[in-house]
Amino acid sequence: MTFLSIMSCNNKAIFIESSQKLSKQESLLSIKIPPNFHPQSKYIQVLKGDSSKNILAYGSNNQIHFFCLESLSLQKSTNYQQYGPEGISTYTGFHVINMDSVVLTSQTSVILTDTYDKILQKLDFIEWNSQHTDQPYLIFAPSRGSRNSAVRINDNIFFLSFQFDLKSDDFKNTPIGLYYNLKDNSMHEAEMKYPEFPSNYTSLSHNPTMAIKDNCLIYSFSVLDEIYLFDKTKGVTNKQNFSRFNRVRVNTNSGGNSFYNQIKRPRYLSIIYDPWKDVFYRIFYPGYEVSGNYDDNYYFSLIATPPVFSVIIIDSEFKIIGETTMPFQHYDPSSNFITKDGLFFGLHENHPEFDPDHLKFARFTVEPINQ
């Protein structure tokens, strides 16, 4: 998806003097993985049940593997068929409800399955689009680490969505997402609409990520400094909130759609809520200066796993209380999860302790900055 240099900020953000930082803990969380298993999936979700028995759902090759974070052992694996009566095609994302129930998305369907590879119900998303809207939707693939996460709201799974060819004024009439009802296998649009965006904002730059707290949906957009709060009782509000990281400057007139400029272009990658610390983490990519003399595979690798990023720490009043810059090519900003023990990031493939036979995560905790 193309990113534009908007980064709007009409007013100065309200900063509290930086008082918190992310502190890396010494030991790595390490899980032995089965053969032929990709050790760097973006499909990841933690099931927060009993906090001492959190389950890590990890996607790979039309499978979901469930690991117990207490015993660091494999509990179960799915093996969804691609073709046939029980075929799901290839999933583009998943939202695990529990160890026996998973919502999958493909390019054509939303599918409720069990974890024994049986389809329970399926909604034809193409047919729904043709009957319910003149401007077809796509669903952002859920459970891509912290990016595009879906959330459970009563009997519904709420998905972030995308529509083509929207201009700034169009968003004021565009729902902020889609509800998939688990009970009756139906889909409907959210009642709340997007706010007024900057005049140069289009669907080419529209890449939201979402967190939820107290039934309020908190949106971070890749090219906007503001955070937006969508609350059915309070309406839509925004909070000025931007990174202090030095950003790479991009010449927007020099092939804005190229891989080269995608790598250079600053953007916010995701927002995550930590219910144990009552803080938000907003992950920021400042852009990366790269030569134009490499083949496409090199550029793809930098886009898939950004080599640099920072984590902004935001308190419950949406004030920035700290920002931590991560070491170069040490962690994958999209492969992350939160438990009561802290914020975990998967290792970058160039990390000195990366191991293709193990899932490895570094643990970070919020600590006060020594004055």
Side-chain angles (χ1 to χ4, degrees):
M1 193 166 295
T2 305
F3 297 95
L4 304 181
S5 294
I6 298 175
M7 291 296 182
S8 68
C9 190
N10 298 322
N11 303 298
K12 274 196 167 184
I14 299 175
F15 288 97
I16 296 177
E17 185 63 31
S18 293
S19 60
Q20 306 289 316
K21 65 178 181 178
L22 287 182
S23 179
K24 181 184 174 298
Q25 304 306 301
E26 289 190 10
S27 60
L28 294 174
L29 186 154
S30 181
I31 304 173
K32 178 71 175 176
I33 55 178
N36 304 317
F37 184 96
H38 197 291
Q40 223 183 11
S41 173
K42 308 295 184 185
Y43 299 102
I44 185 169
Q45 180 187 345
V46 167
L47 312 187
K48 302 179 179 71
D50 179 345
S51 60
S52 67
K53 297 180 181 178
N54 283 333
I55 299 294
L56 177 70
Y58 203 84
S60 174
N61 300 327
N62 254 33
Q63 293 181 302
I64 303 174
H65 304 275
F66 297 89
F67 297 96
C68 177
L69 294 181
E70 182 184 38
S71 62
L72 302 181
S73 61
L74 180 65
Q75 303 292 294
K76 179 189 288 190
S77 293
T78 66
N79 188 22
Y80 296 114
Q81 297 177 37
Q82 189 167 9
Y83 306 108
E86 294 296 321
I88 65 164
S89 183
T90 299
Y91 72 61
T92 58
F94 61 74
H95 179 78
V96 179
I97 299 170
N98 54 48
M99 286 285 284
D100 292 318
S101 186
V102 179
V103 175
L104 302 171
T105 58
S106 73
Q107 291 188 350
T108 61
S109 306
V110 180
I111 308 162
L112 177 65
T113 75
D114 63 18
T115 50
Y116 301 94
D117 317 322
K118 180 177 176 59
I119 293 176
L120 304 177
Q121 60 189 34
K122 180 187 289 189
L123 182 143
D124 187 318
F125 194 57
I126 294 178
E127 181 181 350
W128 180 86
N129 264 317
S130 67
Q131 293 178 355
H132 291 84
T133 178
D134 295 327
Q135 174 68 301
Y137 289 93
L138 294 176
I139 290 176
F140 279 113
S143 286
R144 299 283 299 242
S146 59
R147 292 184 60 197
N148 308 331
S149 57
V151 297
R152 174 86 180 266
I153 303 176
N154 299 321
D155 292 326
N156 296 287
I157 304 298
F158 183 74
F159 295 111
L160 291 168
S161 58
F162 175 83
Q163 291 180 284
F164 293 100
D165 301 325
L166 298 180
K167 304 296 188 290
S168 176
D169 286 344
D170 297 328
F171 279 94
K172 291 182 289 187
N173 299 312
T174 301
I176 63 172
L178 299 173
Y179 288 97
Y180 173 64
N181 189 280
L182 295 165
K183 284 193 170 182
D184 62 13
N185 192 36
S186 65
M187 183 82 76
H188 65 275
E189 298 172 325
E191 294 177 1
M192 299 191 74
K193 306 295 195 295
Y194 285 109
E196 183 175 356
F197 286 137
S199 59
N200 56 344
Y201 192 91
T202 70
S203 55
L204 285 176
S205 57
H206 185 63
N207 195 2
T209 66
M210 173 182 62
I212 187 169
K213 179 189 175 185
D214 300 331
N215 295 319
C216 177
L217 296 170
I218 296 95
Y219 277 47
S220 169
F221 299 94
S222 62
V223 295
L224 299 177
D225 289 300
E226 297 89 345
I227 289 176
Y228 288 83
L229 283 58
F230 294 89
D231 187 304
K232 285 187 177 180
T233 59
K234 300 178 181 177
V236 183
T237 57
N238 70 70
K239 304 288 184 179
Q240 297 293 341
N241 193 305
F242 59 86
S243 170
R244 287 174 165 177
F245 207 124
N246 289 329
R247 304 177 186 193
V248 171
R249 291 187 175 274
V250 180
N251 181 356
T252 56
N253 296 320
S254 60
N257 293 334
S258 70
F259 296 140
Y260 176 68
N261 276 307
Q262 284 194 50
I263 293 164
K264 292 185 67 175
R265 185 163 290 114
R267 56 191 180 271
Y268 295 98
L269 299 180
S270 60
I271 189 164
I272 324 165
Y273 177 58
D274 184 339
W276 290 278
K277 293 290 186 182
D278 195 21
V279 297
F280 295 87
Y281 307 112
R282 196 180 191 195
I283 301 176
F284 178 68
Y285 172 65
Y288 180 62
E289 290 283 3
V290 63
S291 165
N293 300 319
Y294 294 93
D295 63 26
D296 285 353
N297 287 332
Y298 176 71
Y299 297 131
F300 276 132
S301 70
L302 293 178
I303 293 169
T305 309
V308 291
F309 67 98
S310 69
V311 180
I312 306 165
I313 306 170
I314 302 165
D315 71 10
S316 59
E317 300 299 320
F318 296 94
K319 297 182 176 66
I320 295 176
I321 56 175
E323 183 169 7
T324 300
T325 302
M326 295 300 193
F328 178 76
Q329 286 192 339
H330 266 50
Y331 309 112
D332 182 346
S334 296
S335 181
N336 59 62
F337 61 89
I338 295 171
T339 73
K340 66 180 180 61
D341 297 318
L343 170 63
F344 292 80
F345 282 104
L347 301 193
H348 191 282
E349 62 182 7
N350 291 333
H351 190 286
E353 295 185 71
F354 182 82
D355 180 352
D357 296 323
H358 289 79
L359 299 181
K360 289 192 174 183
F361 297 90
R363 181 168 68 94
F364 293 83
T365 56
V366 176
E367 307 288 350
I369 294 173
N370 293 326
Q371 302 297 330

